[in-house]
Amino acid sequence: MSRTLPVQKNDILDIVFEDLTHEGSGVAKVEGYPLFIPNGLPGEKAKVKVVKTNKNFGFGRLLELQEKSPYRVEAPCPIYKECGGCQLQHLNYEGQLLVKHKHVQDVLKRIGKIDAVVHPTIGMNEPWRYRNKAQVPIGEQEGGLIGGFYQQRSHQIINMEACLIQQEENDDVVRKVKEICQKYGVKAYNEERHKGELRHIMVRRGLVTGEMMIVLITRTNEITNKNKVVDEIAAEISGLKSIIHNVNNKKTNVIMGDITNVLWGQETITDYIGDVKFAISARSFYQVNPEQTKVLYDKALEYANLQGEENVIDAYCGIGTISLFLAKKAKKVFGVEIVPQAIEDAGKNARLNDIHNVDFAVGKAEEVIPNWYKEGNTADVLVVDPPRKGCDEALLQTIIAMKPKKVVYVSCNPATLARDLRVLEDGGYKTLEVQPVDMFPQTMHVEAVAQLVLTV
């Protein structure tokens, strides 16, 4: 029987890793056929076993490292190999920044045929303990509550006392809330049977203000011994401003449900990015790494190069984070966002900062902005910060028709960034430069800001 693939299951091979997948696995090629192998790093030589083959790619298992990368380190987290939260703890931080830069550069060239300057990735001075929000699934083990992260490719909870990318205070709070809930008989949610109460514990903390919010997410409308649980949490945890109850009674992987009530304290906490103050509710989208968010937004402002006379449109504006930064330098900013609660929060944040030259609209950017254009409203600068799927085609075509002098594209997915830049370049724009920013150290995620100018 002839071999249709250059490798077969159970083959033992000597390979050289060339790259990393978006999940952090090493990529090796045998006669052009890609093999994905966990725990390999670019440049390393290894002996591997093929464990599965598909038509276009296969999977392997690392048997022996024959030549290690100079960037390889021992992962400091004791559950790193089981937990799916991080992918790059075995790569030192210098190596992580190089990998992310190469990833953005390669994707822009391969997918978008974009020939722009891609600057070295801007990293953090301290790439640990940066996340200001913890949302921890809760389960039961030997009669006690456990909380942690889901094992890779499963819904098996791995118990965790500390997460090295969460702020330490959040770890302490999750641990204390688990103890209090267990003390008063609160039962964990059982996903398979759709029974029990407590699904997740969420902690949000203001990096600058230190204000803290705890959210108890349950399947049930009531919490066992609610008053005792709330009173003890409030008494035990310093800096606490808010205890929220969110009800999610659906059989779903979505964390939060539609019903949210304040159990103690206030509805929001506050934090600052630069000199802009934000009110953050339980369901607000707020960047989990405010320190690097400031770096990202500063770069977006630099690329916009506002002189004070421009009208600016901020597509996908969320709770107004970028809009309010832009408004301090622009004549007028128009923000649009599909989530009504986010627009409500954006309006509150504008008032909180006494910023009056910004208007927010609810709706799909790809519908609202074309309508604005039909009504004769145009922009000198247009900023987009879309979700991972990138910009809708209708929005891209409206940008091309509207012809703002500059477009600033903030991206959380280099692949869709490359695709969209290609469309904009074909429509008369030129990508001048791209700046990757590491918002999520120890993971494969990378954000980037691209600067485009109109050439026609």
Side-chain angles (χ1 to χ4, degrees), residues 135-139 146-150 157 199-201:
Q135 42 192 27
V136 178
I138 301 300
I146 61 167
F149 280 105
Y150 292 118
I157 295 173
R199 299 176 73 130
H200 283 80
I201 296 169

Side-chain angles (χ1 to χ4, degrees), residues 324-338:
L324 299 181
F325 273 78
L326 295 165
K328 293 198 165 196
K329 304 280 187 181
K331 178 182 175 184
K332 183 80 175 183
V333 176
F334 301 88
V336 58
E337 169 63 51
I338 194 171

Side-chain angles (χ1 to χ4, degrees), residues 79-99:
I79 59 170
Y80 172 59
K81 289 184 179 177
E82 292 80 33
C83 172
C86 297
Q87 301 87 43
L88 293 182
Q89 285 193 20
H90 61 299
L91 179 62
N92 75 10
Y93 197 48
E94 181 187 356
Q96 291 181 31
L97 297 180
L98 290 172
V99 159

Side-chain angles (χ1 to χ4, degrees), residues 319-357:
I319 64 168
T321 40
I322 295 182
S323 299
L324 299 181
F325 273 78
L326 295 165
K328 293 198 165 196
K329 304 280 187 181
K331 178 182 175 184
K332 183 80 175 183
V333 176
F334 301 88
V336 58
E337 169 63 51
I338 194 171
V339 181
Q341 177 65 50
I343 288 294
E344 195 178 311
D345 288 346
K348 289 178 184 174
N349 288 325
R351 292 189 292 275
L352 192 63
N353 289 277
D354 202 25
I355 293 173
H356 304 288
N357 61 330

Side-chain angles (χ1 to χ4, degrees), residues 275-346:
D275 60 354
V276 182
K277 188 176 185 180
F278 293 96
I280 306 157
S281 66
R283 300 186 66 178
S284 289
F285 174 79
Y286 184 72
Q287 293 280 11
V288 298
N289 187 345
E291 182 182 332
Q292 288 296 87
T293 300
K294 173 73 163 53
V295 173
L296 190 76
Y297 291 177
D298 282 347
K299 185 55 66 172
L301 269 176
E302 178 191 322
Y303 283 175
N305 192 25
L306 299 172
Q307 303 300 309
E309 295 302 316
E310 297 90 349
N311 286 328
V312 182
I313 289 177
D314 178 14
Y316 312 99
C317 69
I319 64 168
T321 40
I322 295 182
S323 299
L324 299 181
F325 273 78
L326 295 165
K328 293 198 165 196
K329 304 280 187 181
K331 178 182 175 184
K332 183 80 175 183
V333 176
F334 301 88
V336 58
E337 169 63 51
I338 194 171
V339 181
Q341 177 65 50
I343 288 294
E344 195 178 311
D345 288 346

Side-chain angles (χ1 to χ4, degrees), residues 62-110:
L62 186 64
L63 298 179
E64 180 190 348
L65 271 178
Q66 297 162 328
E67 195 173 303
K68 292 184 179 181
S69 165
Y71 299 110
R72 178 176 283 276
V73 291
E74 281 296 317
C77 176
I79 59 170
Y80 172 59
K81 289 184 179 177
E82 292 80 33
C83 172
C86 297
Q87 301 87 43
L88 293 182
Q89 285 193 20
H90 61 299
L91 179 62
N92 75 10
Y93 197 48
E94 181 187 356
Q96 291 181 31
L97 297 180
L98 290 172
V99 159
K100 294 181 182 191
H101 175 258
K102 182 177 183 297
H103 178 56
V104 173
Q105 203 170 42
D106 290 353
V107 165
L108 288 179
K109 284 184 179 175
R110 188 179 75 250

